[in-house]
Amino acid sequence: MTHDSSHTACLELFEKLSEYLDDELDEQICQQIEAHAGNCVACKTCLETLRQTIALCHAMKQNETPVPANFSDRWKECIQKMASEAADAHQS
Amino acid sequence: MPNPSDPKIKQDGDFELIQAINAGHTELFTELVSRYERKLYNFGMRMCRDVQDAEDVLQDTFLNVFKYLKDFRYETKFKNWLYRIATSTCLKKRRKSRFAPDRELSLDEFLPKEEAEIPVQTPAWASLPLDQLLNEELSSIIKEGILSLPENYRLVLVLRDIEGFSTAETAQVLGLTPENIKVRLHRARLFLREKLKDYFSHDA
């Protein structure tokens, strides 16, 4: 992305960034990516901002909201009723 | 009948509970609900935006699980099967959104188009520790960004990067190839990265 001689390398890296960050590439390709990103600010930036985007998504997992209590109580009652009816049917 | 010595089954912490339910202890179904209720509700919120829809996803998913659990043969982990049902429930429930229309994302749209877009140094937000970065405002930017992804991409991103499924598991849940999952995930992440870039450039 910076200049013509490395443009192809930039595009190849851009395509593989997620697989690289997910550790889903061969060692040899990883080394090529690391060597290229070490010398190309644009690609290094893509890599680091994408890494941070993924890390932020992972962190969102902690950001859970509880099931609204009135809904949870109501529908669990239904499930319990359904389950005990099925248990009765199983026994008879 | 499932073979309990199968490694897939051995690793599944739900196996014994499911065996008991299927043996007639259906009252234990509420235990299964308690294990996954919160996760599925939040999955519904991430996929559908709306509280009512998330409640429906939770309820409809478990009604289907209750109905079909006796036919579950452990071809996959219970959790993967559960999310397969939840995913299909979400897709049925979906409301066409003008903010997130179904479309394909192309890699080209995420490439820098002008010289001016090429950075001279890595932006600060890329290296800040998450606890300094992730506040309520940024959380809602991320949530909105995810919700504005076309649904096929949103599903992959939510399953892989938030719910924590592997590429192979996500492929199994969605009935797609692992290659297809990788392509969609990469584009979905790039889409979200653009939202974050915009947010931080306005913030600067």
Side-chain angles (χ1 to χ4, degrees), chain A residues 14 18 24 52 58 65 72 83, chain B residues 26 37 42 125 128 167 186:
Chain A
F14 191 72
S18 279
E24 290 178 331
Q52 190 74 313
H58 289 171
T65 49
S72 183
Chain B
T26 45
E37 177 185 40
N42 278 274
W125 69 272
L128 276 174
T167 300
H186 187 41

Side-chain angles (χ1 to χ4, degrees), chain B residues 2-204:
Chain B
N3 172 9
S5 61
D6 183 328
K8 263 191 310 213
I9 293 177
K10 274 186 175 169
Q11 287 163 15
D12 195 326
D14 299 315
F15 177 70
E16 285 178 10
L17 179 59
I18 290 167
Q19 287 287 90
I21 295 168
N22 281 342
H25 296 284
T26 45
E27 74 282 1
L28 292 174
F29 191 77
T30 48
E31 164 62 23
L32 199 59
V33 172
S34 299
R35 284 186 191 183
Y36 289 102
E37 177 185 40
R38 190 170 167 134
K39 273 178 189 296
L40 277 192
Y41 177 73
N42 278 274
F43 175 70
M45 284 296 283
R46 286 171 187 131
M47 286 305 302
C48 305
R49 182 191 295 262
D50 190 76
V51 171
Q52 177 68 54
D53 282 351
E55 289 177 354
D56 288 352
V57 166
L58 177 59
Q59 193 167 270
D60 294 352
T61 300
F62 273 114
L63 287 176
N64 276 314
V65 170
F66 190 78
K67 195 169 164 190
Y68 296 111
L69 191 65
K70 61 184 181 310
D71 302 320
F72 176 55
R73 289 288 173 266
Y74 270 96
E75 278 95 4
T76 180
K77 278 187 199 167
F78 170 73
K79 188 183 169 194
N80 299 356
W81 184 69
L82 176 71
Y83 271 80
R84 188 168 196 151
I85 296 174
T87 297
S88 125
T89 310
C90 278
L91 292 173
K92 280 182 201 149
K93 181 130 285 301
R94 72 177 180 173
R95 306 208 169 137
K96 293 273 182 196
S97 164
R98 68 191 169 94
F99 299 109
D102 281 342
R103 67 180 181 101
E104 292 302 322
L105 298 176
S106 138
L107 208 54
D108 287 347
E109 61 189 275
F110 304 114
L111 288 166
K113 289 174 187 62
E114 294 166 18
E115 278 295 307
E117 286 187 46
I118 297 171
V120 287
Q121 61 179 46
T122 306
W125 69 272
S127 51
L128 276 174
L130 291 183
D131 55 356
Q132 284 180 36
L133 201 63
L134 192 59
N135 54 27
E136 217 167 289
E137 190 184 8
L138 185 57
S139 290
S140 63
I141 295 289
I142 296 171
K143 274 184 201 163
E144 280 305 310
I146 292 171
L147 282 163
S148 62
L149 271 163
E151 195 166 47
N152 287 338
Y153 293 86
R154 194 185 328 147
L155 266 174
V156 173
L157 184 111
V158 168
L159 289 171
R160 280 285 283 113
D161 286 344
I162 301 184
E163 303 295 333
F165 287 95
S166 68
T167 300
E169 287 173 328
T170 308
Q172 208 171 41
V173 169
L174 297 180
L176 297 169
T177 64
E179 278 315 306
N180 205 317
I181 296 297
K182 288 180 191 179
V183 167
R184 287 190 193 189
L185 178 64
H186 187 41
R187 293 174 191 186
R189 285 171 171 174
L190 290 169
F191 179 96
L192 195 57
R193 186 187 71 126
E194 291 296 318
K195 302 280 175 201
L196 294 172
K197 265 168 65 181
D198 289 348
Y199 169 69
F200 285 109
S201 67
H202 289 137
D203 203 38

